[in-house]
């Protein structure tokens, strides 16, 4: 039996029946990584197996995105500027996983500091899509999505600021969840955009996502933006049907760039839900067209500030310029950041700095904050008339490596369907809903109102079980 | 140009609160420890860490706002002030920009013969940065982050101050006011109080402000006064010579007694303020503010005036007593038991102050009950013990906590005051010193002192010297 | 395309504000990229936001505090473990000129 092919809940059943052990599971995944990762390059750092690891009810090995701090474990956000940085503390989510007995397999590849939608901005080089190695894995949590898709982990954690969990999940044919803002502690998540970031699960199916979210969610007194809202047993939502539920489809999402195969897959998915008793309704999210612009002002502004601490003074890379005279501290800052940051990081820091700078704050940052309010209000209105909103996760399937790297704006526009949910602070899940003719996965996104992950899981599970796409495996040998 | 010029000064004071822990993390808020022993991932600004607000720092800030007669903003929000410096671990300081916790207040400043009203423009809450030590030998700078995250309140005046002396007086009353609140020890040497100044000059009568310069690096109130005096002269000279004053930051050099323009050309900082996303807003209820207001002590200036009015103290005495709020309370408790307030204040300002000095202690460090202090004074007044003995008894009271009656009894310090006993002694002295008696009778009254001294020796110092003097005089001159 | 929203001089200024030493080529590329992006985001000007409040926090949280209690700090050696360079218990950097 190839344990590495199984889901978390299947492994839990086997463990309960004593048909397998924590050791056997760990062994199976370690071997799988050894065999397959040279092709996929999902991992940037594989941890040695920890025989002294605390035991617990969930000995199901997990892959962790390289921006989530693990004590004394190199954590770099796939950036040169954090090379060698070993945090002296665990992120809260890591502490919770540790208490549950979940062993960490290693750190996965990502776009540097989460800046990107393809994982091509990693200082370690890109990962390869298990479905087609010439294609990108999506980003920024591309390594985590690829690891799960390639059965190199039972499950994974990623982070999502504008779609960075959902879009790679969609490109890799796995499940990805961005929880409600404040649902999961950000303590220990190396920040990109503080008011948008959330850590979330990437899994093989919806049931696993419900379990994993339950393990990491909950109030944390070390995160002032963490909400003290009780964590339900999300798996309880999975059995309920969708009869009479209303799902809204926003008319603004049918943009020019939407791949007809993606549209077709979504239409078919809606049919499946209708057959199961859901009501599909057209709705409007009138400010959708402004979402990408709003996001790229707000997120880059916050990022420019969050990345100011990388200056070579206390940790990470320090680069002194080769100069004849004495080096000043400013020279050290500027050279360290020149060498340490990649092109996309520099681009975003520069854009963000500009939007906050004197004379431009009102026109850019303040204005964007107000448009954010309008986007949030669009969803509040929508949820008055429907239980969930459904869209494709991405307008396309996984594009070819290198296809969008020369046009930053084109790369930004590929986030168009996922970006609004971070700005509204509401949860969303991406689940597989088919394949293109080229056998590349297509993702369906289900969005619900704040703290209504149960509705999100309920609809997602119903669809998943009816359609069966989650059973397909990437053709890796 | 020989116009009369007026000096315009504004002061910016940074106050460190004495909370137990730092403003955004649980590290101890302490001073003088080994470098980087009071840090954690949060105040080191390590990647992934987040701030959580210390509620005590917020309450302390409200206390200060109320004591400075400010409008308290019930909507509290924080902003990031972005700049790069090695003492700033996050590359930004969490501060308050457009919604400071306090604004539009004032402080009454006794200065010279008048009391001036200096307006407080605003006061806000923020975090302190670390400390840098420049090592010229190894051409490097060393960073210690113990101080990072200490809660600070920045208090900014309107440019209402008109002389370096006024600035000095403002600082003194500000310090006393803040010490009364017990939110800080306000010690410039320890860095719990820091001051930067802005100064400009303009022709008298002109309302527009002249070009100002900022002075930094003044490490005592005297240095603030000296720095401002130097800058005032510099501005005045330049103005009179028709030279243009450059708006810049200048550092006070204590050794040379001058200010120096900073070597690197300081561009105007663009701090790119924006609301801090990691901290959510606080709404302070009016009831909370009123509850805090009720806990505020009587401010020092009011106490000063009231001590003079209610207890007939001199300004000089009242001025000394109000410097320490615990001492002032002690005085009033004594005054409620004994109406000779001048005598109480004499004993406080004299012997008690001497004891505090020699013990290097403040009043709160001593064990002294008002009833015991008053009792001591009474026993000196009624002659039970001499003045000199009284000082000794005070010292013993402070050492042991015992009541004066006990000490006087145990040490046998009671003076001999009854007439019959004393007259016997005096007669003995008189008969043994006939030649001195003749001198006195001839007019040399000062020789009386010698005889009194003899009487004191004969009684092992226990005679009541005043009584001895009276009786001796009567005996010799009038009988 | 109309007027330039950002000039090479602007890019130089921003690079200094952001403390990044750009090469000449990077400066050119960034001027071009930022120009494109700023033109794109200018679409926000089409909206009337005069009666809209800005959103800073999406979660409706207020008054989140911690008690004034001391928690253990890192030891000096733990704190300096991440250091690039250290001396006498402090983080060491090239001289800062005042």
């Amino acid at each position: 039996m190839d344990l590495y092919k199984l889901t978390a809940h299947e492994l839990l059943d086997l463990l309960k029946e004593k048909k397998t052990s924590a050791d056997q599971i760990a062994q199976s995944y370690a071997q799988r990584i050894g065999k397959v990762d040279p092709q996929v390059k999902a991992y940037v750092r594989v941890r040695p197996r920890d025989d002294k690891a605390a035991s617990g009810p969930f000995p199901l090995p997990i892959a962790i995105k390289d921006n989530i701090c693990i004590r004394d474990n190199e954590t770099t956000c796939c950036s040169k500027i954090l090379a060698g940085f070993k945090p002296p503390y665990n992120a809260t989510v890591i502490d919770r996983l540790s208490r549950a007995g979940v062993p960490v397999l290693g750190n996965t590849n990502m776009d540097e500091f989460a800046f990107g939608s393809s994982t091509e901005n990693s200082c370690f080089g890109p990962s390869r899509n298990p479905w087609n190695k010439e294609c990108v894995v999506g980003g920024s949590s591309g390594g985590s999505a690829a690891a799960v898709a390639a059965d190199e982990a039972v499950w994974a954690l990623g982070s999502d600021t504008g779609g960075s969990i959902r879009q790679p999940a969609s490109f890799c044919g796995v499940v990805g969840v961005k929880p409600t803002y404040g649902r999961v502690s950000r303590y220990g998540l190396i920040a990109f955009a503080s008011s948008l970031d959330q850590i979330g699960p990437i899994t093989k199916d919806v049931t696993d996502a419900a379990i994993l979210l339950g393990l990491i969610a909950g109030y944390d007194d070390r995160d002032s933006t963490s909400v003290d809202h009780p964590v339900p047993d999300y798996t309880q939502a999975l059995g309920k049907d969708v009869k009479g539920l209303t799902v809204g489809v926003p008319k603004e999402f049918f943009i020019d760039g939407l791949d007809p195969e993606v549209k077709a897959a979504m239409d078919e998915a809606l049919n499946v839900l209708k057959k199961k008793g859901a009501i599909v309704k057209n709705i409007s999210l009138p400010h959708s067209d402004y979402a990408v612009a709003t996001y790229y002002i707000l997120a880059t502004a916050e990022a420019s500030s969050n990345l100011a601490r990388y200056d070579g003074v206390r940790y990470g890379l320090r680069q002194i310029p080769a100069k004849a005279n004495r080096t000043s501290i400013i020279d050290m800052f500027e050279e360290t950041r020149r060498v340490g940051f990649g092109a996309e990081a520099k681009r975003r820091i520069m854009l963000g700095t500009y939007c906050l700078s004197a004379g431009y704050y009102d026109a850019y940052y303040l204005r964007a904050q107000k448009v954010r309010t309008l986007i949030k209000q669009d969803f509040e209105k929508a949820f008055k008339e429907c239980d969930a909103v459904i869209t494709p996760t991405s307008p396309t399937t996984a594009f070819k490596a290198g296809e969008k790297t020369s046009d930053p704006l084109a790369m930004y526009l590929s986030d168009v369907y996922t970006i609004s949910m971070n700005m509204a602070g509401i949860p969303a899940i991406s689940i597989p809903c088919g394949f293109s003719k080229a056998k590349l996965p297509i993702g369906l996104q289900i969005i619900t109102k704040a703290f209504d992950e149960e509705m999100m899981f309920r609809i997602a599970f119903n669809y998943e079980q009816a359609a069966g796409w989650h059973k397909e495996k990437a053709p890796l040998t | 140009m020989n116009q009369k010029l007026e000096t315009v000064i504004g002061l910016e004071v940074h106050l460190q609160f004495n909370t137990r822990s730092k403003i955004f993390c649980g590290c101890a808020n302490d001073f003088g420890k080994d470098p980087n022993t009071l840090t954690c991932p949060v105040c080191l600004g390590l990647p992934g860490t987040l701030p959580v607000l210390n509620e005590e720092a917020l309450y302390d800030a409200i206390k200060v706002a109320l004591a400075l007669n400010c409008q308290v903003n019930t909507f509290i929000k924080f902003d990031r002030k972005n700049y790069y410096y090695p003492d700033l671990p996050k590359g930004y300081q969490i501060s308050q920009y457009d919604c400071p916790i306090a604004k539009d207040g004032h402080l009454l400043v006794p200065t010279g013969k008048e009391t001036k009203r200096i307006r407080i423009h605003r006061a806000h809450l923020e975090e302190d940065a670390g400390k840098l030590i420049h090592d010229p030998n190894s051409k490097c700078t060393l960073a210690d982050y113990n101080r990072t995250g200490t809660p600070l309140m920045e208090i900014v005046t309107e440019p209402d101050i008109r002389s370096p002396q006024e600035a000095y007086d403002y600082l003194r009353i500000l310090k006393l006011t803040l010490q009364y609140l017990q939110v800080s020890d306000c010690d410039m040497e320890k860095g719990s109080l820091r001051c930067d100044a802005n100064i400009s000059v303009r022709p008298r009568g002109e309302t527009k402000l002249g070009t100002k310069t900022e002075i930094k690096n003044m490490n005592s109130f005297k240095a603030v006064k000296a720095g401002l005096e130097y800058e005032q002269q510099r501005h005045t000279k330049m103005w009179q010579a028709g030279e243009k004053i450059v708006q810049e930051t200048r550092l006070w050099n204590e050794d040379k007694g001058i200010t120096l323009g900073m070597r690197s050309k300081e561009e105007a900082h663009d701090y790119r303020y924006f609301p801090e996303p990691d901290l959510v807003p606080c709404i302070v209820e009016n009831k909370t503010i009123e509850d805090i207001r009720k806990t505020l002590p009587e401010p020092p200036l009011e106490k000063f005036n009231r001590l003079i009015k209610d207890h007939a103290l001199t300004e000089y005495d009242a001025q000394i007593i109000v410097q320490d709020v615990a001492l002032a309370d002690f005085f009033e408790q004594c005054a409620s038991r004994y109406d000779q307030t001048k005598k109480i204040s004499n004993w406080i300002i004299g012997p008690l102050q001497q004891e505090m000095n020699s013990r290097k202690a403040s009043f709160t460090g001593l064990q002294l009950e008002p009833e015991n202090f008053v009792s001591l004074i009474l026993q000196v007044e009624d002659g039970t013990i001499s003045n000199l003995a009284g000082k000794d008894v005070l010292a013993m009271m402070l050492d042991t906590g015992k009541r004066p009656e006990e000490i006087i009894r145990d040490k046998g310090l009671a003076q001999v005051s009854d007439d019959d006993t004393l007259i016997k002694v005096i007669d003995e002295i008189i008969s043994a010193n006939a030649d001195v008696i003749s001198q006195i009778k001839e007019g040399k009254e000062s020789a009386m002192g010698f005889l009194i001294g003899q009487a004191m020796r004969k009684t092992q110092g226990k005679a009541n010297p005043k009584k001895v003097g009276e009786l001796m005089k009567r005996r010799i001159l009038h009988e | 395309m109309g007027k330039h929203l950002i000039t090479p001089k602007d890019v130089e200024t921003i690079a200094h504000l952001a403390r990044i030493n750009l090469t000449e080529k990077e400066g050119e590329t960034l001027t071009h990229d930022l120009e494109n992006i700023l033109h794109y985001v200018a679409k926000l000007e089409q909206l009337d936001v005069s009666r809209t409040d800005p959103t800073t926090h999406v979660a409706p949280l207020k008054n989140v505090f911690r008690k004034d209690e001391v928690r253990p700090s890192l030891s000096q050696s733990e704190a300096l473990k991440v250091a690039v360079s250290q001396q006498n218990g402090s983080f060491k950097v090239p001289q800062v000129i005042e």
Side-chain angles (χ1 to χ4, degrees):
Chain A
M1 173 180 41
D2 292 325
L3 292 172
Y4 64 82
K5 288 187 181 160
L6 302 180
T7 63
H9 61 93
E10 286 166 343
L11 290 168
L12 285 171
D13 287 339
L14 288 180
L15 284 165
K16 201 156 64 169
E17 295 158 24
K18 303 242 196 297
K19 290 196 179 134
T20 189
S21 70
D23 249 354
Q24 286 177 326
I25 297 170
Q27 174 91 314
S28 179
Y29 277 97
Q31 281 174 347
R32 176 70 175 172
I33 292 171
K35 181 149 189 271
V36 156
D37 205 57
Q39 304 169 53
V40 178
K41 294 186 192 300
Y43 285 90
V44 298
R45 222 167 290 115
V46 177
R47 270 163 77 91
R49 270 180 61 191
D50 189 356
D51 297 320
K52 301 180 267 88
S55 59
F58 295 91
L60 309 166
I62 195 164
I64 301 290
K65 187 176 182 182
D66 195 28
N67 62 357
I68 297 173
C69 287
I70 300 175
R71 182 182 287 116
D72 298 331
N73 183 103
E74 196 180 356
T75 308
T76 70
C77 298
C78 293
S79 174
K80 283 194 229 159
I81 214 166
L82 276 177
F85 173 67
K86 293 188 182 177
Y89 73 99
N90 272 338
T92 298
V93 294
I94 299 295
D95 279 338
R96 291 183 179 174
L97 289 175
S98 178
R99 279 199 289 274
V102 180
V104 174
L105 288 164
N107 303 102
T108 54
N109 204 7
M110 57 183 282
D111 285 296
E112 180 186 11
F113 283 109
F115 299 148
S117 310
S118 64
T119 307
E120 292 173 291
N121 292 325
S122 165
C123 74
F124 298 113
S127 302
R128 300 208 196 91
N129 196 316
W131 296 89
N132 180 333
K133 289 179 218 156
E134 285 171 36
C135 292
V136 299
V137 286
S140 59
S141 311
S144 283
V148 173
D151 285 322
E152 293 184 69
V154 178
W155 42 18
L157 286 186
S159 71
D160 192 310
T161 307
S164 288
I165 284 175
R166 295 161 283 155
Q167 186 252 37
S170 163
F171 279 14
C172 292
V174 294
V175 173
V177 175
K178 181 202 89 67
T180 309
Y181 184 85
R183 175 78 286 187
V184 177
S185 170
R186 289 187 299 118
Y187 188 83
L189 170 64
I190 298 180
F192 159 6
S194 317
S195 74
L196 300 162
D197 292 343
Q198 272 290 282
I199 294 175
I202 297 178
T203 57
K204 300 184 192 185
D205 68 9
V206 174
T207 306
D208 282 4
I211 298 171
L212 185 49
L213 183 61
L215 290 181
I216 60 173
Y219 174 68
D220 180 14
D221 67 6
R222 294 189 292 181
D223 175 4
S224 299
T225 59
S226 162
V227 177
D228 194 359
H229 190 96
V231 181
D233 178 358
Y234 291 115
T235 60
Q236 293 290 308
L238 303 178
K240 303 193 175 126
D241 65 38
V242 297
K243 287 200 189 69
L245 292 182
T246 311
V247 302
V249 180
K251 63 179 175 39
E252 293 81 6
F253 278 50
F254 298 99
I255 56 172
D256 281 342
L258 176 56
D259 187 316
E261 289 186 283
V262 172
K263 179 166 188 313
M266 189 178 108
D267 287 340
E268 184 47 38
L270 291 170
N271 282 335
V272 169
L273 284 170
K274 274 191 238 174
K275 284 203 195 89
K276 300 216 74 187
I279 303 159
V280 174
K281 153 176 205 197
N282 284 331
I283 60 162
S284 173
L285 296 170
H287 297 94
S288 300
D289 192 35
Y290 301 96
V292 172
T294 307
Y295 174 83
Y296 276 96
I297 293 172
L298 295 177
T300 58
E302 291 184 18
S304 71
S305 176
N306 284 327
L307 269 64
R309 67 193 70 197
Y310 305 114
D311 57 11
V313 171
R314 288 159 295 283
Y315 47 81
L317 177 74
R318 175 185 293 187
Q319 194 81 19
I320 311 272
K323 254 182 169 185
N325 12 347
R326 206 165 30 137
T327 311
S328 76
I329 193 83
I330 295 183
D331 291 334
M332 185 188 90
F333 289 160
E334 295 187 342
E335 188 66 4
T336 299
R337 292 159 69 80
R338 178 184 82 75
V339 171
F341 286 135
E344 184 60 35
K346 283 179 188 154
R347 196 166 13 244
R348 295 200 188 196
I349 291 170
M350 296 281 290
L351 177 60
T353 304
Y354 181 81
C355 291
L356 290 175
S357 64
Y360 297 107
Y361 177 88
D362 283 359
Y364 290 105
Y365 189 77
L366 185 57
R367 176 167 279 267
Q369 282 197 308
K370 293 180 177 184
V371 181
R372 182 175 186 177
T373 304
L374 296 176
I375 292 169
K376 188 164 183 278
Q377 287 169 349
D378 280 357
F379 280 102
E380 282 161 11
K381 287 198 196 92
F383 289 123
K384 287 203 171 80
E385 43 176 322
C386 51
D387 299 295
V389 172
I390 291 191
T391 74
T393 304
S394 171
T396 68
T397 55
F399 40 87
K400 286 237 166 38
E403 196 179 295
K404 299 203 180 184
T405 45
S406 56
D407 188 355
L409 197 48
M411 188 73 87
Y412 297 166
L413 287 165
S414 65
D415 291 333
V416 66
Y417 292 149
T418 50
I419 237 166
S420 305
M421 297 85 215
N422 301 77
M423 291 202 281
I426 56 182
I429 187 171
S430 176
I431 53 178
C433 71
F435 290 87
S436 66
K437 283 201 204 67
K439 199 64 185 201
L440 287 168
I442 298 172
L444 184 74
Q445 180 176 229
I446 302 168
I447 306 145
T448 54
K449 61 185 197 289
F451 294 101
D452 202 8
E453 283 87 349
E454 287 143 292
M455 176 63 69
M456 179 189 79
F457 283 127
R458 172 177 170 184
I459 298 172
F461 184 74
N462 262 273
Y463 170 75
E464 174 194 73
Q465 295 299 303
W469 297 111
H470 60 297
K471 297 211 173 76
E472 303 259 351
K473 287 288 186 193
L476 279 172
T477 43
Chain B
M1 254 201 278
N2 254 324
Q3 304 165 277
K4 265 279 181 182
L5 291 176
E6 168 180 71
T7 305
V8 176
I9 294 169
L11 292 180
E12 198 178 284
V13 164
H14 282 92
L15 177 75
Q16 277 184 346
F17 287 144
N18 61 7
T19 51
R20 282 193 281 262
S21 60
K22 292 185 180 181
I23 190 173
F24 296 123
C25 69
C27 288
N29 179 9
D30 217 340
F31 169 84
K33 297 284 188 287
D34 282 346
N36 297 301
T37 51
L38 298 172
T39 66
C40 73
V42 177
C43 57
L44 284 174
L46 295 187
T49 54
L50 297 169
V52 185
L53 179 61
N54 180 342
E55 67 178 359
E56 194 64 30
L58 182 59
Y59 290 145
D60 283 353
I62 295 174
K63 273 192 209 156
V64 172
L66 292 174
L68 296 178
N69 305 293
C70 292
Q71 284 234 45
V72 178
N73 195 337
T74 50
F75 179 78
I76 314 286
K77 91 181 229 291
F78 290 95
D79 302 288
R80 289 191 187 178
K81 181 178 181 182
N82 298 280
Y83 65 97
Y84 295 84
Y85 207 61
D87 66 357
L88 197 64
K90 298 190 288 292
Y92 59 85
Q93 177 195 32
I94 300 179
S95 177
Q96 293 188 297
Y97 179 55
D98 58 340
C99 288
I101 188 169
K103 57 184 184 134
D104 299 338
H106 67 267
L107 195 59
L108 293 174
V109 178
T111 178
K113 293 258 186 305
E114 42 163 351
T115 298
K116 222 176 146 188
R117 193 168 184 274
I118 303 295
R119 292 171 301 162
I120 306 290
H121 174 55
R122 56 176 275 159
H124 70 259
L125 197 50
E126 60 183 23
E127 57 176 348
D128 209 346
K131 268 218 195 107
L132 299 180
I133 300 172
H134 307 293
D135 184 352
N137 295 328
S138 52
K139 293 209 196 317
C140 71
T141 295
L142 302 176
D144 169 15
Y145 297 105
N146 283 350
R147 201 180 66 175
T148 313
T150 300
L152 283 186
M153 189 133 180
E154 180 177 317
I155 303 168
V156 182
T157 69
E158 297 283 7
D160 288 350
I161 298 171
R162 291 285 171 272
S163 74
Q165 180 63 46
E166 259 177 46
Y168 181 85
D169 293 335
Y170 165 83
L171 289 172
R172 291 205 50 201
I173 191 73
L174 178 68
K175 172 175 172 165
L176 195 56
T177 305
L178 296 172
Q179 281 178 326
Y180 267 44
L181 298 176
Q182 297 184 295
V183 296
S184 170
D185 59 13
C186 304
D187 189 337
M188 278 192 92
E189 267 173 49
K190 289 208 191 116
S192 54
L193 194 121
R194 314 201 285 259
C195 179
D196 296 328
N198 285 310
I199 184 170
S200 61
V201 297
R202 65 184 175 195
R204 241 179 243 278
E206 173 67 66
T207 49
K208 234 178 58 173
L209 291 169
T211 308
K212 68 177 179 195
T213 55
E214 185 186 14
I215 316 170
K216 283 181 175 300
N217 200 39
M218 300 168 292
N219 295 325
S220 66
F221 291 170
K222 288 208 174 74
V224 172
K225 183 167 168 217
L228 282 167
E229 279 167 347
Y230 179 85
E231 265 309 275
Q232 179 185 42
Q233 276 188 33
R234 200 180 69 85
H235 277 235
T236 305
K237 277 201 202 114
M238 289 179 77
W239 187 285
Q240 284 166 346
E243 285 171 43
K244 187 172 182 305
I245 292 161
V246 174
Q247 179 166 328
E248 57 174 344
T249 302
R250 298 176 69 87
L251 296 180
W252 171 247
N253 185 314
E254 184 76 25
D255 297 330
K256 296 196 181 128
I258 59 173
T259 63
L260 291 165
M262 291 174 73
R263 211 184 316 170
S264 58
K265 173 132 199 318
E266 264 239 334
E267 73 259 320
H269 283 288
D270 180 357
Y271 293 117
R272 286 159 277 128
Y273 287 100
F274 71 100
E276 171 59 78
D278 290 331
L279 289 171
V280 297
C282 304
I283 311 282
V284 183
E285 287 180 24
N286 283 317
K287 181 173 181 309
T288 310
I289 296 178
E290 289 318 305
D291 287 346
I292 294 175
R293 198 194 296 275
K294 289 198 192 99
T295 69
L296 292 186
E298 179 185 34
L301 200 53
E302 274 181 43
K303 197 184 282 293
F304 172 79
N305 289 329
R306 196 172 54 72
L307 289 180
I308 294 170
K309 181 160 160 286
D310 292 354
H311 301 295
L313 282 187
T314 62
E315 276 192 22
Y316 178 80
D317 287 1
Q319 165 75 342
I320 295 175
I321 287 174
V322 294
Q323 293 304 313
D324 181 340
V325 64
L327 188 60
D329 285 344
F330 176 75
F331 166 79
E332 293 208 83
Q333 288 175 54
C334 293
S336 71
R337 290 172 166 80
Y338 182 43
D339 63 3
Q340 297 296 302
T341 54
K342 180 66 183 151
K343 295 200 160 64
I344 300 173
S345 68
N346 285 346
W347 271 88
I348 289 177
I349 293 170
L352 185 57
Q353 188 68 59
Q354 276 164 26
E355 286 298 330
M356 290 196 281
N357 290 344
S358 64
R359 284 154 204 267
K360 294 202 198 319
S362 67
F363 180 73
T364 36
L366 303 176
Q367 269 184 313
L368 186 59
E369 296 301 318
E371 59 261 26
N372 291 340
F373 193 64
V374 167
S375 172
L376 172 65
I377 299 172
L378 286 170
Q379 292 189 77
V380 171
E381 286 305 307
D382 69 18
T384 308
I385 51 172
S386 69
N387 208 315
L388 202 55
K391 291 186 189 172
D392 292 337
V393 172
L394 178 61
M396 286 186 257
M397 282 163 70
L398 294 175
D399 286 336
T400 63
K402 286 197 179 149
R403 287 166 48 245
E405 295 80 8
E406 263 187 80
I407 297 172
I408 291 169
R409 189 190 57 227
D410 293 347
K411 303 272 178 186
L413 294 171
Q415 292 186 126
V416 179
S417 293
D418 85 285
D419 288 11
D420 294 330
T421 320
L422 288 178
I423 286 173
K424 258 174 85 187
V425 173
I426 287 167
D427 284 347
E428 283 174 31
I429 301 293
I430 288 175
S431 42
N433 290 282
D435 49 338
V436 184
I437 303 295
S438 353
Q439 283 180 22
I440 292 169
K441 287 203 170 140
E442 275 164 29
K444 193 172 174 207
E445 290 208 17
S446 56
M448 187 91 70
F450 169 72
L451 296 178
I452 294 171
Q454 289 290 302
M456 295 300 294
R457 266 184 57 203
K458 201 143 185 125
T459 60
Q460 284 101 35
K462 291 225 173 101
N464 182 334
K466 205 155 144 240
K467 271 252 140 155
V468 168
E470 276 171 30
L471 293 170
M472 179 94 64
K473 195 168 171 188
R474 216 190 318 154
R475 217 53 175 165
I476 298 174
L477 295 176
H478 302 297
E479 283 168 18
Chain C
M1 204 192 272
K3 72 167 185 358
H4 277 292
L5 288 172
I6 195 161
T7 64
K9 188 85 189 38
D10 291 331
V11 170
E12 228 183 275
T13 308
I14 301 164
H16 180 63
L17 269 182
R19 296 293 187 268
I20 303 179
N21 192 8
L22 295 176
T23 63
E24 213 180 295
K25 181 110 197 0
E26 282 174 325
E28 279 169 24
T29 313
L30 274 165
T31 308
H32 172 260
D33 287 343
L34 292 178
E35 177 83 19
N36 282 345
I37 297 168
L38 289 173
H39 267 285
Y40 177 75
V41 302
K43 64 159 65 180
L44 294 188
E45 288 165 31
Q46 298 163 10
L47 293 169
D48 174 13
V49 291
S50 56
R51 275 157 313 191
T52 310
D53 288 330
T55 294
T56 299
H57 300 100
V58 274
L61 291 167
K62 301 268 184 291
N63 295 12
V64 176
F65 302 121
R66 35 171 275 276
K67 294 248 168 285
D68 186 24
E69 283 161 2
V70 175
R71 295 215 188 135
S73 295
L74 294 172
S75 69
Q76 191 187 73
S77 56
E78 283 170 335
L80 290 168
K81 220 162 148 192
V82 295
V84 181
S85 173
Q86 55 175 285
Q87 185 177 297
N88 301 342
S90 301
F91 291 82
K92 182 168 152 181
V93 294
Q95 190 168 27
V96 177
I97 305 161
E98 295 266 72

